[in-house]
Every structure is written in C-alpha cells, then in structure tokens.
Amino acid sequence: MEKIKLMAHLVAGYPTDEISLEVARALVQGGADILEIQLPFSDPSADGPAIQTACTTVLSRGYKTKDGLSLISKIHAEFPGTPIYLMSYGSLVYTPGVQNFCKQAAAVGVKGMIIPDLPFDSDEGLTQACRENGMENIPVAAPSMSPDRLKKMACAGYKYIYAALRTGITGSDTKIGEDTINFIKDVAQGGSKVYGGFGISSGEQSKLLAPYVEAVVAGSVFVRTISANSPDKNAVFAKVKAKTQELTGQA
C-alpha cells in the first residue's frame, strides 16, 4: 500500500524536553512527513482533554515561548528535511509582536504557522509576517463556518488550509463520511491544499481520509500514547513510532 502522508502533532516540552525530542525522533522514524509542534498555552480553546492536560503539565514547570522555540531548534537541527509547523494561539504571537514572533520562529526552522483563533480575514498581519519570513500561514477551516465565509477563505490564495473535520474539541473520535468529504472539497475549492484532522487515531480513519487531503493530521492520539508510557523513554519511543507507522499505512 502507498504510504499515507501524515502531519503529526506534539506539545513542546511534554512531559519533558528530553522525551519531547524522543517523540519527534519516533514520529520522523515512523514516517511522519510534517511535525506540528504546539507551544503550550493556558487556555487552548480547540484542544481536548489530552492536549489541555499536556499543556498544563508543561506550563506548571514555568515553560516559556523561548523554551519551546529552543526545542524546535534542536528538532530542526536533527531533522532539517522535515518541515516544522508551529501551532499555538493568538495571544502568544500577538504579545511580543506578530512580526517579531514570526522572525523568531523562522530563525529556528519553522516553515508554517497554525494559529486557530486568529481568523483568516482579521489575522493581525500574520499572513504578511509569515510571507516576509519565508513561512506559510495555514488558517483553520471548520464545518461551522457559513458557506460564504468558507468560500472566501478557500479563495483567499493560501497554499495550505487546515480543515478541522468536525466542530467541538479535538481528541474525540471522528467519523469519515460523505459530509466530511464534501467539507474537504469545499475547503479545496479555491485550489489550496488541505490538511485534514481532528480526532484521527487509527489507521482505518487515515486510509479513509488520505485520498482527499494533502496530509492526514493526528495529535491527541500521540499525546495519549506519551501519557500512557511516560516516563519510560524507550516505551514512549516504541509506541509512538508504532502508532505513526499505523497511521501512515506502514504497520
């Protein structure tokens, strides 16, 4: 079977920087094509319990944006051929200044930004700042958007759009049905390539979704795998790698 393209999500610093680095190694060796690295945030509005708990755990150590960027720098140095997208929330980007933040992110190897709570048509200059620093801004489309607004986003000239495959929080199970596929087609109507995720946790879901997207996105499943096997670094590596192989159709 042809390998499924996968964007794999990890929370920077969870549960430690050392294990985070090991997770990145497991994801890449398991076949992940893109790493979506989340900077921990205190009120992650779209994230389910697994990722919220991971963020809280990391922040309780006094983890700062600079710590997350330092980890990204190490991962990029080890895997320069694997694109890294930074995922976080608007206030972390806005507080130091959008241009300044994008410059810092690009300097450590980030190729794209996913900031779900910055609307595509009111993004505080994020798209422009990404462009000026050699990155892509990847807006998030949700099924709750009106057809008119979705069309505007789809036709706004983004190279990539992240399609959240259902409303609500990530981590719950997502059914890949006709509605999902029609939504992805709507997101792609302007020619953008579509990343599709939210609640993808099995190889079966991956296989159903893969023909319709540029890459399948999975996140909470990895956080749960890390949580279940920490602090045993070897077990975390083995289980994360095995799950990655399953999701990429290589198991």
Side-chain angles (χ1 to χ4, degrees):
M1 178 188 150
E2 191 180 333
K3 182 186 169 299
I4 294 165
K5 196 168 176 185
L6 178 70
M7 185 200 296
H9 172 285
L10 66 148
V11 175
Y14 180 69
T16 65
D17 274 11
E18 187 187 14
I19 291 178
S20 255
L21 194 50
E22 205 63 18
V23 168
R25 289 172 183 142
L27 292 169
V28 174
Q29 289 183 34
D33 301 272
I34 302 161
L35 296 179
E36 179 194 8
I37 303 179
Q38 176 169 351
L39 294 184
F41 187 68
S42 57
D43 182 25
S45 54
D47 297 325
I51 292 176
Q52 281 186 5
T53 302
C55 285
T56 303
T57 302
V58 179
L59 291 170
S60 70
R61 302 204 315 263
Y63 209 76
K64 300 281 191 289
T65 295
K66 65 178 173 55
D67 301 314
L69 293 176
S70 174
L71 177 69
I72 288 171
S73 179
K74 286 176 189 163
I75 293 170
H76 175 63
E78 195 165 327
F79 304 106
T82 303
I84 293 174
Y85 294 160
L86 186 153
M87 183 259 161
S88 197
Y89 289 87
S91 67
L92 281 191
V93 179
Y94 186 75
T95 303
V98 174
Q99 180 67 245
N100 182 34
F101 186 93
C102 286
K103 194 174 178 180
Q104 289 178 49
V108 297
V110 172
K111 294 297 180 201
M113 303 279 281
I114 301 170
I115 313 295
D117 61 341
L118 277 184
F120 78 97
D121 50 358
S122 183
D123 70 1
E124 304 293 347
L126 180 63
T127 299
Q128 182 65 25
C130 282
R131 199 173 289 131
E132 288 170 8
N133 288 282
M135 300 187 296
E136 298 290 338
N137 179 27
I138 303 163
V140 179
S144 55
M145 292 171 79
S146 70
D148 181 51
R149 187 165 168 72
L150 184 58
K151 186 172 184 180
K152 278 183 188 160
M153 178 191 277
C155 298
Y158 292 100
K159 186 174 182 181
Y160 305 108
I161 297 176
Y162 182 133
L165 299 181
R166 55 176 174 70
T167 53
I169 55 170
T170 187
S172 315
D173 200 29
T174 296
K175 303 283 182 283
I176 313 298
E178 196 178 339
D179 287 352
T180 309
I181 291 157
N182 287 336
F183 171 60
I184 291 167
K185 287 177 178 172
D186 287 343
V187 175
Q189 66 185 296
S192 301
K193 294 176 180 178
V194 179
Y195 297 127
F198 242 54
I200 302 300
S201 59
S202 72
E204 188 182 345
Q205 287 172 305
S206 252
K207 281 174 199 148
L208 288 170
L209 184 57
Y212 304 99
V213 294
E214 171 70 10
V216 173
V217 186
S220 292
V221 63
F222 291 121
V223 177
R224 289 195 295 268
T225 303
I226 295 160
S227 302
N229 292 281
S230 289
D232 185 337
K233 197 165 72 167
N234 294 334
V236 168
F237 179 90
K239 296 287 188 181
V240 168
K241 183 178 176 182
K243 179 52 79 172
T244 309
Q245 288 171 324
E246 178 195 333
L247 291 167
T248 55
Q250 305 300 293

